Amino acid sequence: LHIRVEDELYNNLNSYSTRNEQSIQDCVREAIAYYMSNMRKRKTVKKINKFTFIDLFAGIGGMRIAFDRAGGQCVYSSEWNKYSQQTYFANFGQQPEGDITKVDEADIPDHDILVAGFPCQPFSIAGVSKKNSMGRATGFEDKTQGTLFFDICRILNKKRPKAFMLENVKNLCSHDKGRTFKVIKESLEELDYEIFYKVLDGQSYVPQHRERILIIGFDRKRYGKNINFEFNLAPCDSKPVMRDILDKEVPDKYTLSDKLWTYLQNYAAKHKAAGNGFGYGIAPLDGVSRTLSARYYKDGSEILIAQKGKNPRRLTPRECARLQGFPDTFKIPVSDTQAYQQFGNSVVVPLMGEVAKLIINKIDRLDEEGTGWKKVI
């Protein structure tokens, strides 16, 4: 695609490219994607959806699918990774905004629910401890400044959605001897939200052992403090197994080379002799796999599929999508390497969808009780 532009526009584009440390090609692609997103918004007939939500640290849109299915309308999304942006745009026709740290919270549309699968960054506790020892109060900005969690806090503080749902790795609870989670919980409570959290495993919905912590919050200023919430997930009719998500025919390129397979076997034997549990994992066809990670593209060792007369193989990107509960209609426009990282960083879509339903049902009950403000449109 060749584009002819005037000198002044080129100079401005070149300056923008330098400031944002992006290639001109990426800048132009981003601009076109934003333009197409805006055109799509203009042509879309306004729907009367059950609720609105925003999708922060959106990745490839796993959370969006879950909340869309629950009857929601996404009014804003943010994701900084350009490859994830490509996948998001290919599937939703909207370009997520880039670096959330540079976004003014006042410019984000009003919404009912904030959804975020935020990265876990280290929190500085020293400054907080010093202020506490001096008898000085500390607000959420003092505790979380400099972390991406702070961006969630400032948006909650400004927009005050009815509720939020945050997702992270289960080790968030024990990170830094529990101090990180303590800061997160206190910061959200100081913003006047009633907090509920639980570690959930996605293996009831997909054939994968995948534990993640979900943090749910409801606005006390809107609903008061007498709020109860239970993670009462509906039981699944039938538990899926690995063979349910596998393709019948898979290209040979996904079969491990002799060199890699020998290395993985030797590596596993070495650690087994040392009493460690490290090593490759052959997924049971009638069971569940280990957790899919973003490093899967390196060797696929955590989830391998046995083959008759051949070395084991890794999953295909489409099989990884199914392992996370994405529909087969979900488009994968990026390379295998990027796709493995994207699905490894994503969420179990049907599990998130079930939790989304619980949140919506709770909000509906609270609104019916007459304790809430008029619904944000």
Side-chain angles (χ1 to χ4, degrees):
L1 178 64
H2 299 274
I3 302 175
R4 186 184 300 277
V5 298
E6 299 82 4
D7 289 345
E8 183 177 353
L9 179 56
Y10 175 80
N11 291 333
N12 288 336
L13 182 60
N14 196 34
S15 297
Y16 179 86
S17 171
T18 302
R19 286 197 310 273
N20 290 276
E21 298 180 346
Q22 289 180 297
S23 68
I24 290 181
Q25 182 178 4
D26 284 341
C27 290
V28 171
R29 185 213 156 271
E30 188 176 272
I32 294 173
Y34 276 124
Y35 173 78
M36 296 304 295
S37 297
N38 290 333
M39 290 299 292
R40 184 175 182 273
K41 288 179 182 178
R42 292 177 188 176
K43 292 182 180 180
T44 300
V45 178
K46 186 175 181 181
K47 298 179 180 179
I48 307 301
N49 286 60
K50 193 172 184 180
F51 64 94
T52 57
F53 68 96
I54 64 172
D55 191 13
L56 304 182
F57 310 103
I60 57 176
M63 289 287 204
R64 175 164 180 163
I65 295 175
F67 279 80
D68 279 347
R69 288 175 175 174
Q73 180 175 354
C74 183
V75 295
Y76 177 84
S77 59
S78 174
E79 168 57 43
W80 72 273
N81 182 275
K82 68 176 183 179
Y83 298 107
S84 294
Q85 287 181 339
Q86 290 175 21
T87 301
Y88 198 98
F89 182 81
N91 286 280
F92 304 106
Q94 294 178 353
Q95 175 78 359
E97 190 129 22
D99 189 352
I100 191 63
T101 65
K102 298 178 181 178
V103 175
D104 187 339
E105 57 268 29
D107 294 335
I108 293 177
D110 292 338
H111 51 279
D112 295 318
I113 303 173
L114 179 150
V115 180
F118 70 103
C120 176
Q121 292 175 296
F123 285 68
S124 176
I125 309 297
V128 177
S129 299
K130 182 177 180 181
K131 288 185 178 182
N132 285 337
S133 66
M134 297 171 63
R136 293 167 56 187
T138 60
F140 72 91
E141 291 188 23
D142 293 304
K143 296 178 182 179
T144 61
Q145 185 73 53
T147 72
L148 291 173
F149 176 69
F150 168 71
D151 296 290
I152 293 174
C153 289
R154 64 184 176 87
I155 294 170
L156 286 173
N157 191 45
K158 178 67 178 180
K159 308 306 293 189
R160 297 219 62 88
K162 293 182 176 182
F164 63 78
M165 184 175 92
L166 310 182
E167 181 265 354
N168 211 297
V169 296
K170 74 167 185 174
N171 291 338
L172 179 69
C173 293
S174 57
H175 181 265
D176 194 20
K177 299 181 179 180
R179 288 190 285 263
T180 295
F181 189 72
K182 182 174 183 288
V183 170
I184 288 175
K185 186 171 180 292
E186 289 179 350
S187 299
L188 294 171
E189 288 175 339
E190 286 175 11
L191 285 169
D192 239 346
Y193 279 87
E194 193 73 17
I195 309 303
F196 306 88
Y197 57 92
K198 189 173 183 178
V199 174
L200 298 176
D201 193 335
Q203 66 175 303
S204 293
Y205 301 89
V206 295
Q208 177 192 183
H209 173 58
R210 190 180 188 88
E211 292 181 301
R212 291 294 185 268
I213 185 171
L214 292 183
I215 308 171
I216 313 296
F218 297 93
D219 185 9
R220 288 173 181 160
K221 291 184 178 181
R222 190 185 301 248
Y223 299 121
K225 296 183 178 180
N226 295 322
I227 302 172
N228 295 312
F229 179 79
E230 298 285 343
F231 288 88
N232 291 327
L233 298 172
C236 297
D237 295 332
S238 60
K239 191 172 182 178
V241 295
M242 282 299 295
R243 69 171 70 250
D244 295 332
I245 62 103
L246 300 181
D247 287 324
K248 293 182 179 179
E249 296 184 8
V250 176
D252 289 338
K253 68 176 183 177
Y254 297 105
T255 296
L256 301 187
S257 66
D258 290 340
K259 182 179 179 179
L260 177 55
W261 179 224
T262 299
Y263 167 78
L264 291 178
Q265 291 178 93
N266 291 338
Y267 182 84
K270 175 184 175 182
H271 282 281
K272 183 177 181 179
N276 299 325
F278 300 105
Y280 62 86
I282 301 292
L285 296 184
D286 292 312
V288 300
S289 73
R290 295 180 180 180
T291 302
L292 180 68
S293 71
R295 69 167 298 281
Y296 191 73
Y297 73 95
K298 293 184 177 181
D299 54 30
S301 61
E302 63 261 44
I303 306 174
L304 294 175
I305 305 301
Q307 301 185 103
K308 290 184 179 180
K310 294 197 295 186
N311 295 341
R313 68 171 179 87
R314 69 186 74 195
L315 297 172
T316 66
R318 177 58 63 191
E319 290 170 334
C320 289
R322 294 178 189 137
L323 195 63
Q324 291 282 48
F326 282 80
D328 277 357
T329 54
F330 190 83
K331 299 173 185 176
I332 307 176
V334 295
S335 68
D336 283 4
T337 296
Q338 291 298 328
Y340 285 137
Q341 292 183 65
Q342 289 175 5
F343 289 116
N345 279 325
S346 194
V347 296
V348 174
V349 175
L351 172 59
M352 299 301 116
E354 289 302 311
V355 177
K357 291 177 186 177
L358 294 178
I359 296 172
I360 302 311
N361 290 338
K362 184 62 181 180
I363 289 176
D364 287 346
R365 288 196 295 272
L366 290 170
D367 285 339
E368 288 173 2
E369 292 170 2
T371 57
W373 297 335
K374 187 176 180 180
K375 181 178 179 180
V376 178
I377 301 297

